[in-house]
Amino acid sequence: MTTTTKVSICLPTCNRPELLVRCIESCLMQTHTNIEIVIGDDSHDDRTAQLVTSRYGDDPRIAYRRNVPALGQAPNVASLFERASGDKILLIHDDDYLLVHCIETLLAQWSRHPDLEVAFGDQYETDHDGRIMHAASERMNRAYHRTPSAAGLQDPPGRAGIVQMFPNNGWLANAALVKRIGYDDRYGTCCDYVFGTRLCLAAKRVCYVNEYVSCYRMTDASVSQATRRSINASSISAWQFLEGLALPPDLEPARRLARRRLVPIVVSLLARNREARAGLQLALGNLYAYRFGLSPRLYYHLLMIWKATRRPREEPVAPRGIDHGVDASRTRMP
């Protein structure tokens, strides 16, 4: 299908040419063909540049740029938004990929809701080799409040971002709005969550489509996996961002729902990193996140906190390494 609506697919990549090919091919196979693929490469060597040149050098739909020096996760994405020339923008990370009807499905929502600004759907979860894990996919979408009963326009729109219903990539949005929001580097590894929340808060209308449109690949090399046990984990940054948000009264229930998921993760991280007092205060101050003591997880975390007070003080766990090509807002609960 070809329409007059041009879609800019923004694709940040870093050191993963072996995964990038499938991502690019999924973009080129879209049933909506009026696209450009804007690639920002933060790789430390020439492998990705050589691959893109040899396979796609003559394809006018692909606009590749090597960042020297590397920009970093958020600045790389921000630079892609600036380079995008389409009416709509879609973000996809280099280890993930789109289903062939992704853009067509999401773009169709503008015909139903002309004043729409943001649309997103469900994500499949895949293993490292890209094989879809159906049961895990259902659990993931349910955990992020993407269910059949939630389909349609979101009211209020900002709720979709706050509770992490809005996905890290595979979404479609008006280019003008995306460029106005931009990617904020101040929150480190949770920049995807910060962007999604701010985008939905700023949008007039946000639509969720209860249909799979993209695939999220589980890898050990992601930012969220590399830092997930450290004090630099994305959940810590997400918590700080969430607590600092100035929200109208109608969005406070969404903040409370987001806290319910984040509090146990942050308490666990604080305990692992010898921040026992902070972890205890957070747990006791948000007991509803533990079903007011009915969740065994509370007592497990209290045990972790107690053990942290008994061990000699050590340096916080350091992250193992960071790449800039993936999302960090999807840290799994410990």
Side-chain angles (χ1 to χ4, degrees):
M1 182 183 79
T2 303
T3 75
T4 57
T5 302
K6 182 179 180 180
V7 175
S8 296
I9 302 174
C10 294
L11 202 173
T13 187
C14 182
N15 297 328
R16 288 191 292 215
E18 69 282 357
L19 299 180
L20 178 63
V21 170
R22 182 163 189 179
C23 182
I24 293 176
E25 291 298 325
S26 76
C27 298
L28 294 174
M29 292 173 62
Q30 289 299 298
T31 54
H32 177 87
T33 57
N34 191 0
I35 64 169
E36 67 172 357
I37 305 172
V38 187
I39 302 174
D41 180 15
D42 262 2
S43 296
H44 306 147
D45 56 40
D46 296 329
R47 291 180 302 152
T48 300
Q50 292 172 355
L51 180 147
V52 173
T53 300
S54 62
R55 292 183 64 116
Y56 308 108
D58 296 328
D59 195 323
R61 295 170 294 179
I62 295 179
Y64 170 84
R65 178 181 294 176
R66 172 88 179 275
N67 300 321
V68 181
L71 298 178
Q73 183 186 2
N76 190 11
V77 175
S79 72
L80 294 174
F81 292 167
E82 292 173 1
R83 292 167 54 199
S85 64
D87 308 295
K88 312 289 183 194
I89 286 177
L90 182 148
L91 178 68
I92 186 70
H93 296 103
D94 60 355
D95 56 338
D96 301 330
Y97 56 96
L98 305 176
L99 300 184
V100 295
H101 61 275
C102 174
I103 294 177
E104 181 180 355
T105 298
L106 297 180
L107 193 57
Q109 308 314 307
W110 269 261
S111 297
R112 300 182 178 94
H113 313 289
D115 57 347
L116 188 66
E117 293 192 287
V118 178
F120 63 93
D122 293 327
Q123 290 179 311
Y124 278 122
E125 187 171 295
T126 82
D127 63 15
H128 184 275
D129 296 321
R131 292 186 292 262
I132 291 173
M133 301 182 290
H134 292 278
S137 300
E138 291 179 10
R139 288 194 299 271
M140 177 179 67
N141 286 289
R142 187 167 58 249
Y144 290 109
H145 314 287
R146 297 192 286 263
T147 61
S149 62
L153 293 176
Q154 302 303 297
D155 185 24
R159 180 185 181 278
I162 293 169
V163 303
Q164 288 188 274
M165 185 181 185
F166 183 80
N168 62 298
N169 60 190
W171 45 263
L172 191 67
N174 288 352
L177 177 62
V178 171
K179 293 183 180 189
R180 177 157 60 88
I181 300 302
Y183 247 59
D184 193 336
D185 198 29
R186 289 177 297 172
Y187 288 91
T189 55
C190 83
C191 54
D192 289 307
Y193 174 58
V194 172
F195 168 78
T197 299
R198 288 179 171 164
L199 183 75
C200 293
L201 285 170
K204 296 176 182 177
R205 285 196 169 189
V206 173
C207 183
Y208 159 57
V209 183
N210 182 223
E211 185 174 344
Y212 285 102
V213 296
S214 66
C215 293
Y216 163 51
R217 189 192 304 258
M218 294 292 292
T219 68
D220 292 331
S222 69
V223 177
S224 56
Q225 294 298 316
T227 64
R228 66 191 180 97
R229 290 180 179 268
S230 81
I231 207 68
N232 297 314
S234 59
S235 294
I236 295 282
S237 299
W239 169 260
Q240 294 168 342
F241 169 71
L242 179 68
E243 291 304 288
L245 273 177
L247 297 175
D250 65 335
L251 280 171
E252 285 300 336
R255 186 184 342 235
R256 184 177 176 86
L257 184 59
R259 284 175 179 151
R260 185 179 299 170
R261 177 180 180 273
L262 277 173
V263 163
I265 302 175
V266 175
V267 169
S268 174
L269 288 166
L270 291 172
R272 291 181 190 278
N273 288 276
R274 315 301 197 269
E275 299 287 346
R277 176 174 295 182
L280 182 62
Q281 290 176 341
L282 185 59
L284 297 182
N286 296 273
L287 282 175
Y288 70 89
Y290 293 97
R291 292 186 292 155
F292 295 99
L294 295 178
S295 170
R297 199 175 185 191
L298 172 63
Y299 303 102
Y300 173 67
H301 286 170
L302 291 177
L303 178 62
M304 290 178 64
I305 290 169
W306 178 78
K307 288 182 176 179
T309 65
R310 308 291 293 179
R311 291 195 295 268
R313 182 76 180 182
E314 298 177 5
E315 290 298 317
V317 178
R320 291 175 291 154
I322 293 178
D323 67 67
H324 310 297
V326 292
D327 164 57
S329 67
R330 303 172 292 181
T331 304
R332 297 295 186 258
M333 295 183 182

